[in-house]
Structure formats: C-alpha cells, structure tokens
Amino acid sequence: MSWPADYHMHTSLCRHAKGEPSDYARRAIERGLDEIGFSDHSPMPRDDFDDWRMRLDQLSDYVARVDRARREAPSLTIKLALEVDFIPGQEEWVRDLAGRHPWDYLIGSVHYVTESWDIDNPHRIALWKGRDLFEVWTAYFERLTQAAESGLFDIIGHADLCKKFGFRPDADCTPLYRRFLASARRAGVAIELNTAGLRKECREIYPSRALLELAHREGVPIAFGSDAHAPEEVGADFEEAVALARSVGYAHACRWTRRARTTVPLLAPGPAEIKS
Ligand code: ZN
Ligand code: FE
Ligand code: FE
Ligand code: ZN
C-alpha cells in the first residue's frame, strides 16, 4: 500500500476525456497503485446545461463500465464516485444523485462562479480579461466554502482551481483560504491534492503549498487525485504530491467505502516504486 489511492479519474462519457474504466485500471496496475476511484463529471438535471459531462441517461452505463473494470481487474480496488458541480440552489439535485447508486465518495467541485461562467473552461478564457482577479477568486472561494458547508461531499476537488490559467490576484488570499478551511473542518470534509494543475498553465498542484499548510494546521484531511482525462495520466506526479503533503506535515490520507472514511498512513515511497 505504498501509493495513495488515485480518486480523481474521468472516462470517455464526459466527452472531453478518453479511455474506458478498464483502460485506466490497467494503467493503475502498471504504475503500482492498489486502489483507484472513478469520479467522472456528474450529469445535470438538464442535458443541455453544458457539453462536458455525461448525459443523465448515461449514468447507469457509467456505473456498468466501472463494474466491468472491477471484474477485469480483481487485484485492484476500484471505487465508484462522481465529481459533482456545486452550484448554489442545486443541493436537492446532488441529494437525488447521491441516492441513485452506491457511491463510495462524492467529490464536490466548483467550476462555475456564475450560472454560466465555468472559470476553468479554455473556451471562456476571454471572460478573465479585464476582471478584478481578487473579485473572481473571492466569488470562487465563496462557493467553495458553501460547498464544504453543504455537507453533500466527502472531498472538495482542486481547491484553488481559480489559478488554472495563471490569473493570480496581488492581494493576500489567506482570508479566503481560512474561511473555506474552517468550514471544511467543521463539516468533516477532506480536500484533494490534485496533480492536474502541474499539467496546466499554473504549473502547480491544486492546492498551493500556502493553502495546504493552513489545511494541515486546521486539521483538514486529504485525499489524492490525478484528475486523469486519459489512461496515461493515472497516478501522474504522485511522487510530487506525496512529497508536498509530507513536507507540510501530513502523515495520513483518506479512503472511502460507501461514503465511510478510513485513514491510511502516507508512506514515503522510494523512486523505484512507481513505474512510469
Ligand atoms: Zn474534465
Ligand atoms: Fe474539476
Ligand atoms: Fe475532474
Ligand atoms: Zn476535475
């Protein structure tokens, strides 16, 4: 059990990732992981909400594909999950989804800071231009705090996604981080170390060291995710993520089964342990 579980992986159903759960599972075994979890973008009540998630009528198919991967890779523990968008006013929808299948955990993510602006969408990058960056970051963290407080999620996804394209305010964001983390601790929700940021313009794990240090001090637990949108990204940069977590003082990571959390020690793997 050397590597943390990779709990953030997508599938071709969301229309911007490639590969089937079985492909991701094979890759995970090659890389020496013993547990993974699928967390594809969850459907919305209306399929025309946007174009980067599965349709509602595909949800059962998604579960069936994950089950197929489980049968094909019995040596690997495979968890069933969703990455759910937190949008104020849609809490009932999240509860509805939560009851539809035996999810092991739900990741709550903020992508939308308004009804129509998904801040991580490269097609909407023009909307960043001329904006007061601190106002956008404040709106983002305000929603993230609400997501934590909602009690709907086990993990909060990529906690500083607003840095994705490198638009960073000059102002000190510590108060935004603190408010979010205090809510996360009260709600008992974990945050993830998401290595996808290393593959984006910000060139940094989500969240930043500064946010993670505060999270550790506050006692907020952690999980790990590659946010893989292709099988070759499974477990990507986990060496760096584990090193970051340990360097701010974390000694444990979380796993979930049917939404019950357990804690496992965070080991320091040798360089030979991950096969690339
Ligand atoms: Zn995606
Ligand atoms: Fe996301
Ligand atoms: Fe994701
Ligand atoms: Zn994501």
Side-chain angles (χ1 to χ4, degrees):
M1 243 208 286
S2 296
W3 290 101
D6 187 343
Y7 270 171
H8 198 144
M9 304 190 313
H10 294 273
T11 78
S12 63
L13 283 172
C14 69
R15 294 176 272 176
H16 63 280
K18 50 183 185 179
E20 295 311 305
S22 300
D23 306 320
Y24 288 76
R26 262 195 306 279
R27 183 62 180 158
I29 292 167
E30 280 169 20
R31 281 181 76 78
L33 302 188
D34 72 335
E35 181 164 326
I36 60 174
F38 288 92
S39 52
D40 210 355
H41 297 289
S42 68
M44 288 289 185
R46 290 181 55 128
D47 289 326
D48 61 0
F49 182 81
D50 60 24
D51 61 358
W52 50 267
R53 63 189 66 253
M54 69 182 86
R55 299 189 313 264
L56 183 51
D57 68 358
Q58 293 174 311
L59 190 62
S60 304
D61 185 25
Y62 168 63
V63 173
R65 292 182 196 205
V66 173
D67 275 335
R68 194 177 316 139
R70 284 171 162 161
R71 285 194 302 275
E72 289 175 10
S75 68
L76 185 65
T77 299
I78 301 182
K79 297 291 168 67
L80 176 68
L82 287 172
E83 178 178 15
V84 182
D85 280 76
F86 177 77
I87 295 176
Q90 286 208 3
E91 292 83 355
E92 269 317 305
W93 174 242
V94 182
R95 277 184 206 105
D96 177 335
L97 279 174
R100 289 185 185 224
H101 293 280
W103 312 112
D104 288 305
Y105 57 92
L106 293 179
I107 299 179
S109 290
V110 171
H111 304 103
Y112 285 91
V113 295
T114 69
E115 286 315 295
S116 57
W117 185 17
D118 39 353
I119 50 160
D120 63 323
N121 190 335
H123 299 116
R124 297 210 217 300
I125 205 160
L127 290 175
W128 279 95
K129 305 284 156 66
R131 292 299 263 266
D132 179 329
L133 299 182
F134 189 68
E135 269 175 29
V136 180
W137 278 51
T138 300
Y140 172 82
F141 275 98
E142 182 55 42
R143 284 198 170 191
L144 204 68
T145 303
Q146 287 177 256
E149 280 169 352
S150 74
L152 293 167
F153 309 112
D154 305 288
I155 304 171
I156 296 296
H158 40 58
D160 58 358
L161 181 68
C162 46
K163 74 183 175 192
K164 176 177 176 178
F165 299 118
F167 299 119
R168 296 167 187 270
D170 294 326
D172 178 17
C173 294
T174 308
L176 308 180
Y177 302 163
R178 281 194 202 284
R179 211 172 317 139
F180 159 61
L181 292 166
S183 296
R185 185 191 44 75
R186 276 196 301 272
V189 65
I191 60 171
E192 62 168 4
L193 277 85
N194 179 315
T195 60
L198 291 167
R199 310 192 291 274
K200 309 297 187 214
E201 286 86 338
C202 60
R203 298 266 171 241
E204 193 180 274
I205 288 171
Y206 307 114
S208 64
R209 169 180 295 274
L211 197 158
L212 197 65
E213 277 171 353
L214 293 172
H216 178 256
R217 235 178 283 163
E218 187 73 37
V220 175
I222 53 167
F224 289 77
S226 64
D227 214 338
H229 283 67
E232 58 269 24
E233 291 170 351
V234 172
D237 297 305
F238 267 30
E239 307 85 337
E240 193 170 330
V242 171
L244 174 62
R246 292 180 60 86
S247 74
V248 307
Y250 279 101
H252 296 88
C254 300
R255 296 188 178 199
W256 283 263
T257 302
R258 299 285 184 100
R259 310 206 64 185
R261 186 168 86 196
T262 55
T263 298
V264 295
L266 199 53
L267 301 178
E273 281 189 44
I274 207 159
K275 299 167 213 130
S276 52

